[in-house]
Amino acid sequence: MNGTAGPAAGGRTLVAGIGNIFLGDDGFGVETVRRLRERALPPDVELADIGVRGVHLAYQLLDGYGTVVLVDAMQRGAAPGTVHLIEVREADRPEPGTPVIDGHRMSPDTVLALLGTLTAGTGQSGPGRVLVVGCEPASVDEGMGLSAPVEAALDEAVRLVLGLLGADPESAAPPGHGTAPAPGGPGLVPQGHEA
Protein backbone atom coordinates (compact mmCIF):
# COMPACT_ATOMS: atom_id res chain seq x y z
CA MET A 1 0.00 0.00 0.00
CA ASN A 2 1.11 3.45 -0.74
CA GLY A 3 1.60 5.34 2.54
CA THR A 4 -1.47 4.04 4.33
CA ALA A 5 0.18 3.99 7.76
CA GLY A 6 -1.72 6.97 9.10
CA PRO A 7 -3.77 10.04 8.28
CA ALA A 8 -2.51 12.80 6.02
CA ALA A 9 -0.43 15.47 7.72
CA GLY A 10 -2.53 18.39 8.92
CA GLY A 11 -6.23 18.70 9.32
CA ARG A 12 -8.83 16.61 11.06
CA THR A 13 -9.82 13.06 10.14
CA LEU A 14 -13.39 11.99 9.52
CA VAL A 15 -14.43 8.33 9.69
CA ALA A 16 -17.86 8.03 8.08
CA GLY A 17 -20.06 4.93 8.19
CA ILE A 18 -22.22 4.68 5.07
CA GLY A 19 -25.10 2.31 4.44
CA ASN A 20 -28.71 1.39 4.94
CA ILE A 21 -29.30 -0.68 8.09
CA PHE A 22 -32.61 -1.90 6.60
CA LEU A 23 -30.78 -3.70 3.76
CA GLY A 24 -28.89 -6.42 5.62
CA ASP A 25 -25.13 -6.23 5.06
CA ASP A 26 -25.42 -2.70 3.67
CA GLY A 27 -25.39 -1.65 7.36
CA PHE A 28 -21.71 -2.70 7.67
CA GLY A 29 -20.34 0.87 7.65
CA VAL A 30 -22.82 2.10 10.25
CA GLU A 31 -22.09 -0.85 12.57
CA THR A 32 -18.32 -0.41 12.19
CA VAL A 33 -18.59 3.24 13.27
CA ARG A 34 -20.81 2.22 16.21
CA ARG A 35 -18.06 -0.14 17.39
CA LEU A 36 -15.37 2.52 16.86
CA ARG A 37 -17.26 4.75 19.33
CA GLU A 38 -16.26 2.22 22.02
CA ARG A 39 -12.55 2.81 21.34
CA ALA A 40 -10.14 5.55 22.38
CA LEU A 41 -9.42 7.65 19.29
CA PRO A 42 -6.96 10.47 18.65
CA PRO A 43 -8.48 13.88 19.49
CA ASP A 44 -8.48 15.04 15.86
CA VAL A 45 -10.69 12.13 14.71
CA GLU A 46 -14.44 12.57 14.24
CA LEU A 47 -16.88 9.71 13.76
CA ALA A 48 -20.07 10.12 11.73
CA ASP A 49 -22.94 7.70 11.22
CA ILE A 50 -23.94 8.92 7.77
CA GLY A 51 -26.28 6.06 6.95
CA VAL A 52 -28.04 6.98 3.72
CA ARG A 53 -27.32 10.73 3.90
CA GLY A 54 -24.69 10.74 1.13
CA VAL A 55 -25.54 14.27 -0.02
CA HIS A 56 -24.98 15.51 3.55
CA LEU A 57 -21.62 13.71 3.61
CA ALA A 58 -20.48 15.37 0.37
CA TYR A 59 -21.16 18.80 1.89
CA GLN A 60 -19.53 17.81 5.20
CA LEU A 61 -16.34 16.85 3.32
CA LEU A 62 -15.91 20.53 2.42
CA ASP A 63 -15.33 21.27 6.12
CA GLY A 64 -11.52 21.09 6.19
CA TYR A 65 -10.67 17.42 6.71
CA GLY A 66 -7.15 16.29 5.88
CA THR A 67 -8.18 12.63 5.71
CA VAL A 68 -11.50 10.88 5.24
CA VAL A 69 -12.10 7.17 5.83
CA LEU A 70 -15.36 5.97 4.27
CA VAL A 71 -16.66 2.64 5.60
CA ASP A 72 -19.25 0.82 3.50
CA ALA A 73 -20.38 -2.52 2.10
CA MET A 74 -18.63 -3.02 -1.21
CA GLN A 75 -19.24 -5.62 -3.91
CA ARG A 76 -15.95 -6.48 -5.62
CA GLY A 77 -16.52 -10.17 -6.39
CA ALA A 78 -14.70 -11.62 -3.36
CA ALA A 79 -16.09 -13.98 -0.73
CA PRO A 80 -18.64 -12.46 1.69
CA GLY A 81 -16.88 -10.94 4.70
CA THR A 82 -13.73 -10.03 2.75
CA VAL A 83 -12.45 -6.65 3.95
CA HIS A 84 -11.03 -4.29 1.32
CA LEU A 85 -8.83 -1.22 1.78
CA ILE A 86 -8.78 1.23 -1.10
CA GLU A 87 -6.94 4.52 -1.35
CA VAL A 88 -8.61 6.92 -3.75
CA ARG A 89 -5.83 8.91 -5.35
CA GLU A 90 -6.47 12.43 -6.59
CA ALA A 91 -6.08 11.35 -10.22
CA ASP A 92 -8.66 8.60 -9.74
CA ARG A 93 -11.37 10.75 -8.19
CA PRO A 94 -14.43 11.24 -10.39
CA GLU A 95 -14.45 14.32 -12.58
CA PRO A 96 -16.82 17.13 -11.61
CA GLY A 97 -20.11 16.71 -13.38
CA THR A 98 -23.63 15.71 -12.63
CA PRO A 99 -23.54 12.57 -10.50
CA VAL A 100 -26.59 10.32 -10.41
CA ILE A 101 -27.98 10.97 -6.94
CA ASP A 102 -30.21 8.51 -5.15
CA GLY A 103 -31.06 9.91 -1.74
CA HIS A 104 -31.38 6.41 -0.30
CA ARG A 105 -28.24 4.75 -1.73
CA MET A 106 -25.10 6.72 -2.49
CA SER A 107 -21.88 4.78 -2.88
CA PRO A 108 -18.48 6.32 -2.09
CA ASP A 109 -18.06 6.88 -5.87
CA THR A 110 -21.24 8.96 -6.01
CA VAL A 111 -20.31 10.94 -2.89
CA LEU A 112 -16.87 11.72 -4.35
CA ALA A 113 -18.40 12.73 -7.71
CA LEU A 114 -20.75 15.12 -5.92
CA LEU A 115 -17.82 16.42 -3.83
CA GLY A 116 -15.88 17.10 -7.05
CA THR A 117 -18.81 19.09 -8.41
CA LEU A 118 -19.13 21.05 -5.15
CA THR A 119 -15.42 21.90 -4.95
CA ALA A 120 -15.38 23.00 -8.60
CA GLY A 121 -18.45 25.18 -8.05
CA THR A 122 -17.37 26.76 -4.76
CA GLY A 123 -13.61 27.00 -5.12
CA GLN A 124 -13.19 25.05 -1.89
CA SER A 125 -11.06 21.93 -1.64
CA GLY A 126 -11.95 18.50 -0.40
CA PRO A 127 -9.88 16.23 1.84
CA GLY A 128 -6.27 15.59 0.91
CA ARG A 129 -6.58 11.85 1.42
CA VAL A 130 -9.56 9.53 0.93
CA LEU A 131 -9.54 5.89 2.06
CA VAL A 132 -12.36 3.38 1.72
CA VAL A 133 -12.70 0.39 4.04
CA GLY A 134 -15.23 -1.94 2.48
CA CYS A 135 -16.64 -5.36 3.22
CA GLU A 136 -17.97 -7.83 0.69
CA PRO A 137 -21.68 -8.36 1.53
CA ALA A 138 -23.48 -11.70 1.50
CA SER A 139 -26.91 -10.10 1.14
CA VAL A 140 -28.29 -6.59 0.74
CA ASP A 141 -31.91 -7.76 0.66
CA GLU A 142 -34.49 -6.03 2.84
CA GLY A 143 -34.10 -6.88 6.51
CA MET A 144 -32.12 -5.76 9.52
CA GLY A 145 -28.96 -7.43 10.79
CA LEU A 146 -25.69 -8.47 9.25
CA SER A 147 -24.99 -11.90 7.80
CA ALA A 148 -22.62 -14.18 9.74
CA PRO A 149 -19.56 -13.54 7.49
CA VAL A 150 -20.00 -9.76 7.59
CA GLU A 151 -20.63 -9.76 11.35
CA ALA A 152 -17.41 -11.77 11.73
CA ALA A 153 -15.51 -9.18 9.65
CA LEU A 154 -16.42 -6.25 11.94
CA ASP A 155 -13.51 -6.78 14.36
CA GLU A 156 -11.05 -6.86 11.48
CA ALA A 157 -12.53 -3.68 10.00
CA VAL A 158 -12.32 -1.90 13.37
CA ARG A 159 -8.66 -2.96 13.77
CA LEU A 160 -7.90 -1.79 10.23
CA VAL A 161 -9.47 1.65 10.80
CA LEU A 162 -7.71 2.03 14.16
CA GLY A 163 -4.42 1.18 12.46
CA LEU A 164 -5.05 3.80 9.80
CA LEU A 165 -5.71 6.36 12.54
CA GLY A 166 -2.61 5.40 14.51
CA ALA A 167 -4.82 4.43 17.48
CA ASP A 168 -4.18 1.55 19.86
CA PRO A 169 -6.44 -1.29 18.67
CA GLU A 170 -6.65 -2.71 22.22
CA SER A 171 -7.74 0.42 24.08
CA ALA A 172 -11.34 1.06 25.02
CA ALA A 173 -12.84 4.53 25.15
CA PRO A 174 -13.02 6.07 28.62
CA PRO A 175 -16.54 6.42 30.07
CA GLY A 176 -18.45 9.27 28.47
CA HIS A 177 -16.03 9.45 25.53
CA GLY A 178 -17.24 9.50 21.96
CA THR A 179 -18.16 11.79 19.16
CA ALA A 180 -21.76 12.70 18.52
CA PRO A 181 -23.30 11.52 15.26
CA ALA A 182 -23.24 14.03 12.44
CA PRO A 183 -26.48 15.94 11.99
CA GLY A 184 -29.14 14.87 10.10
CA GLY A 185 -16.68 0.60 -8.43
CA PRO A 186 -15.24 3.10 -10.82
CA GLY A 187 -12.60 5.56 -9.63
CA LEU A 188 -11.60 3.44 -6.66
CA VAL A 189 -8.15 1.93 -6.85
CA PRO A 190 -7.35 -1.22 -4.84
CA GLN A 191 -4.25 -0.83 -2.68
CA GLY A 192 -3.56 -4.42 -1.74
CA HIS A 193 -5.46 -5.25 1.44
CA GLU A 194 -7.69 -8.24 1.01
CA ALA A 195 -8.40 -10.07 4.23
Side-chain angles (χ1 to χ4, degrees):
M1 281 176 274
N2 222 355
T4 55
R12 298 169 295 149
T13 298
L14 176 68
V15 179
I18 302 171
N20 188 335
I21 63 169
F22 298 108
L23 294 178
D25 291 340
D26 196 47
F28 167 78
V30 172
E31 179 61 19
T32 300
V33 165
R34 186 193 70 74
R35 289 187 180 202
L36 285 165
R37 289 190 191 289
E38 300 168 358
R39 302 302 184 104
L41 301 174
D44 60 345
V45 173
E46 296 176 33
L47 297 175
D49 172 355
I50 296 299
V52 296
R53 297 184 327 264
V55 173
H56 173 85
L57 174 59
Y59 279 97
Q60 186 172 352
L61 295 181
L62 295 173
D63 198 27
Y65 296 99
T67 300
V68 172
V69 180
L70 304 175
V71 187
D72 197 7
M74 176 182 297
Q75 293 181 334
R76 299 183 59 81
T82 301
V83 174
H84 305 281
L85 173 61
I86 298 166
E87 181 160 7
V88 184
R89 296 177 291 215
E90 188 69 38
D92 299 316
R93 294 186 192 178
E95 291 293 320
T98 307
V100 177
I101 296 176
D102 173 355
H104 297 288
R105 180 68 182 114
M106 288 184 68
S107 68
D109 286 351
T110 309
V111 170
L112 293 174
L114 178 56
L115 175 63
T117 301
L118 294 173
T119 58
T122 63
Q124 293 178 279
S125 62
R129 187 165 191 219
V130 177
L131 300 163
V132 180
V133 173
C135 182
E136 197 76 37
S139 172
V140 289
D141 293 335
E142 285 186 27
M144 292 185 70
L146 302 176
S147 66
V150 172
E151 179 80 28
L154 287 168
D155 287 340
E156 179 185 355
V158 167
R159 282 191 303 273
L160 177 58
V161 172
L162 290 172
L164 293 171
L165 300 175
D168 179 3
E170 302 305 319
S171 64
H177 175 79
T179 6
L188 299 180
V189 180
Q191 291 296 309
H193 180 79
E194 303 286 332

